Amino acid sequence: DHNIKIISDPFEQLKHAIRSVWDSWSSDSSVSYRSHMQIADEWGTAVLVQKMVLGNLSPNSGTGVVFTSNPFNGYSGISLYGDFAICSQGEDVVAGLVNTLPISEYQRKKHYRDCSLSLESGFPKIYEALYRYAKKLIEQHGFVHQEIEFTFESENPESLAILQTRNQILRKQKSYSRFVKSPGEMKLAGHGMGVSSGVMSGLVAFDMEDIKRLRDQNPGAKIILVRPDTVPDDIPMIFACDGLITAKGGI
């Protein structure tokens, strides 16, 4: 209907995918990200070609991101924390396109009020394998705490694949700000999972036009962007706001 032709030759598909990744370096969201992060335009991007691991084979498969240290408990040892999704691919979780489940039972009881399942309780062998990998990386090989992306094709730990791992950025705080509820003046509209450890009040914006208008009308005011999820196209808006609320997605 849209005059889009699907390439049938697998090698041509691969070359097309590689060219698409190269072309993404010049997308509006990539340019905005580089400008904010002070990354040189001349660098370009690389393409890694590897075997696909499928986290959407069945209800017993999934994918997620796990931190080897809980960023909120102040404990320096290994304490798995993060989120995962059943029958999903990695991009679904990283892009915040799906509602996620917690990694540990501690995390579920502490932060996921309406959830009855965690990776630890639902897929204990996968959880134990991730814990062993974390212990090996940090205690045997001397790495700093890691942020690990993973996919599993079944409940069998042999089907667990580590997609990538990078240093976890730890910002331990000695004190945390919080709201003090005034009697009769504050009504709870809802609750969700907090990504940061701070609190903020501000003006609500839904798009870039809102942000610019509110900045002009209320100089110095905090602006909270409200979006369905966090897709790459929203990067310019995310950099322009002070706080972010999404309808779906994990930490």
Side-chain angles (χ1 to χ4, degrees):
D1 291 345
H2 297 278
N3 201 31
I4 296 173
K5 307 299 182 185
I6 305 300
I7 303 170
S8 58
D9 180 358
F11 190 63
E12 288 301 317
Q13 288 180 9
L14 177 62
K15 289 195 291 184
H16 183 78
I18 291 171
R19 286 194 295 268
S20 295
V21 175
W22 282 335
D23 290 343
S24 73
W25 181 256
S26 301
S27 68
D28 291 341
S29 57
S30 294
V31 172
S32 296
Y33 182 83
R34 285 201 300 279
S35 175
H36 186 84
M37 302 298 291
Q38 298 183 344
I39 296 173
D41 288 334
E42 294 78 13
W43 284 5
T45 187
V47 180
L48 176 66
V49 179
Q50 60 186 33
K51 179 182 175 182
M52 192 73 177
V53 185
L54 301 175
N56 54 0
L57 286 177
S58 75
N60 291 324
S61 62
T63 185
V65 180
V66 63
F67 300 98
T68 59
S69 175
N70 184 333
F72 301 117
N73 67 1
Y75 173 58
S76 60
I78 296 171
S79 175
L80 299 188
Y81 189 94
D83 49 7
F84 80 106
I86 296 172
C87 202
S88 296
Q89 286 293 86
E91 186 60 26
D92 299 335
V93 175
V94 175
L97 299 178
V98 294
N99 287 324
T100 57
L101 300 166
I103 294 294
S104 69
E105 275 295 283
Y106 170 84
Q107 182 185 351
R108 180 185 69 80
K109 294 172 183 176
K110 185 85 171 171
H111 300 295
Y112 287 66
R113 308 184 189 198
D114 304 319
C115 179
S116 60
L117 178 71
S118 69
L119 186 73
E120 184 177 8
S121 64
F123 302 90
K125 292 181 180 179
I126 300 296
Y127 178 88
E128 289 165 9
L130 282 171
Y131 191 89
R132 285 197 303 272
Y133 284 134
K135 201 172 179 65
K136 194 180 231 181
L137 283 169
I138 283 103
E139 295 185 358
Q140 289 186 28
H141 298 298
F143 283 88
V144 298
H145 279 294
Q146 296 291 295
E147 177 185 347
I148 301 171
E149 292 183 24
F150 66 92
T151 295
F152 56 98
E153 294 187 328
S154 72
E155 297 170 293
N156 187 338
E158 292 180 359
S159 77
L160 171 65
I162 302 300
L163 307 182
Q164 63 176 322
T165 181
R166 53 186 168 266
N167 292 347
Q168 180 182 348
I169 300 172
L170 289 170
R171 296 188 183 96
K172 300 295 184 182
Q173 292 179 237
K174 294 182 179 179
S175 62
Y176 302 93
S177 56
R178 59 180 295 175
F179 290 121
V180 177
K181 187 174 180 180
S182 302
E185 293 182 13
M186 187 181 294
K187 181 181 178 182
L188 179 66
H191 57 74
M193 296 174 292
V195 177
S196 69
S197 54
V199 301
M200 190 180 76
S201 61
L203 304 173
V204 168
F206 296 95
D207 54 33
M208 187 61 88
E209 287 185 10
D210 282 348
I211 294 174
K212 291 177 180 177
R213 176 176 51 81
L214 291 171
R215 287 268 184 245
D216 291 338
Q217 295 174 354
N218 306 272
K222 299 292 186 182
I223 296 177
I224 300 173
L225 178 66
V226 179
R227 298 295 293 171
D229 43 45
T230 51
V231 294
D233 288 345
D234 290 346
I235 286 289
M237 287 188 290
I238 292 170
F239 286 147
C241 70
D242 301 292
L244 176 69
I245 296 174
T246 62
K248 57 185 176 181
I251 58 168

